[in-house]
């Protein structure tokens, strides 16, 4: 998806996600526990909602997005002292091998054109024994019609490159060399599959 789409969406992203508050509260709670005392890289941070919420638990957070306007939004106000916001391409990271304890990529694998490449990069920058957290919007059934919220997103230029069901997403993760240690479907306007993973 073009950066220009996310650049345009950046000023209203936080407002749009308020309709999914219970999903974000769920992620904040679970991710905070998983990153306690650890060094975390976040990919596709958007305006930095997750990074800011979990910073109090983490040792250090590097939160990235490929959209300059999203990072501009994320840097507004006073970010927590242990958080840095940076522009980065999730499929071509500049960070060294084994640099982070946890990598978080929330609500993004379904919109990137080559999610397998992103998972490969995540594998490279994770330390031995590291964790991937990849909450992802899913569809409730194969070949099901798009719900209203998905249609609204499409109308503003945000389209799902991959329309996985929960089982299809689980299969995708496992096929790419990961084991899901915690996985749960969180219902919402668009359902979320919350997944914590380690290398298989």
């Amino acid at each position: 998806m073009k950066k220009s789409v996310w650049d345009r969406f950046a000023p209203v992203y936080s407002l749009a996600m308020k309709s999914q508050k219970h999903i974000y509260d769920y992620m904040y709670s679970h991710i905070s526990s998983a990153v306690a005392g650890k060094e975390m890289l976040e990919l596709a941070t958007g305006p930095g909602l997750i990074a800011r919420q979990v910073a109090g638990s983490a040792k250090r957070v590097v939160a990235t997005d490929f959209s300059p306007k999203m990072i501009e939004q994320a840097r507004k106000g006073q970010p927590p002292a242990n958080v840095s916001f940076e522009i980065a391409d999730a499929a071509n990271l500049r960070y060294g091998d084994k640099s982070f304890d946890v990598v978080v990529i929330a609500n993004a694998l379904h919109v990137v054109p080559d999610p397998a490449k992103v998972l490969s990069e995540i594998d490279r920058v994770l330390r031995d024994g590291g964790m991937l957290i990849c909450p992802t919007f899913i569809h409730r059934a194969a070949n099901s019609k798009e719900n209203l919220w998905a249609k609204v997103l499409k109308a503003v230029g945000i389209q799902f490159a991959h329309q996985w069901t929960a089982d299809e997403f689980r299969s995708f993760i496992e096929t790419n060399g990961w084991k899901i240690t915690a996985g749960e479907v969180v219902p919402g306007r668009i359902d979320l599959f919350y997944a914590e993973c380690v290398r298989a």
Side-chain angles (χ1 to χ4, degrees):
M1 189 175 297
K2 294 180 179 179
K3 291 182 185 180
S4 59
V5 172
W6 293 108
D7 284 346
R8 290 197 306 271
F9 196 47
V12 297
Y13 184 94
S14 296
L15 180 62
M17 291 302 105
K18 283 186 176 181
S19 65
Q20 297 278 67
K21 182 181 183 300
H22 69 288
I23 282 180
Y24 275 82
D25 287 345
Y26 178 99
M27 289 193 292
Y28 297 153
S29 174
H30 285 72
I31 295 173
S32 290
S33 296
V35 304
K38 297 178 180 178
E39 293 187 295
M40 165 187 150
L41 172 66
E42 185 185 10
L43 307 176
T45 189
L49 301 177
I50 291 174
R52 287 174 177 269
Q53 287 289 330
V54 308
S57 296
K59 178 180 179 181
R60 178 172 73 104
V61 177
V62 177
T64 71
D65 202 283
F66 85 148
S67 162
K69 291 294 185 181
M70 283 292 191
I71 294 300
E72 184 180 301
Q73 290 292 319
R75 288 174 175 161
K76 288 185 174 181
Q78 186 66 39
N82 64 335
V83 176
S84 61
F85 290 108
E86 303 176 4
I87 299 169
D89 180 354
N92 187 26
L93 297 171
R94 61 178 177 275
Y95 308 107
D97 296 355
K98 300 182 179 181
S99 296
F100 298 94
D101 302 307
V102 181
V103 176
V104 175
I105 179 166
N107 305 337
L109 284 175
H110 61 287
V111 298
V112 299
D114 190 354
K117 177 67 166 63
V118 172
L119 290 182
S120 177
E121 276 292 87
I122 291 170
D123 181 47
R124 182 182 65 76
V125 302
L126 265 181
R127 293 176 179 140
D128 294 340
M131 177 185 293
L132 161 64
I133 303 177
C134 53
T136 301
F137 286 134
I138 58 168
H139 287 249
R140 294 179 181 177
N143 301 317
S144 62
K145 293 181 179 180
E146 288 183 320
N147 69 18
L148 179 60
W149 188 237
K151 290 179 180 178
V152 170
L153 293 177
K154 180 182 285 188
V156 298
I158 298 173
Q159 299 187 39
F160 289 11
H162 311 279
Q163 299 186 20
W164 292 303
T165 64
D167 287 343
E168 289 168 344
F169 181 65
R170 182 184 291 274
S171 177
F172 166 75
I173 292 295
E174 293 174 347
T175 298
N176 280 276
W178 300 87
K179 177 183 178 182
I180 297 176
T181 56
E184 182 177 358
V185 174
V186 185
R189 283 189 171 183
I190 301 178
D191 292 351
L192 179 89
F193 188 100
Y194 178 85
E196 295 178 2
C197 315
V198 296
R199 294 182 185 87

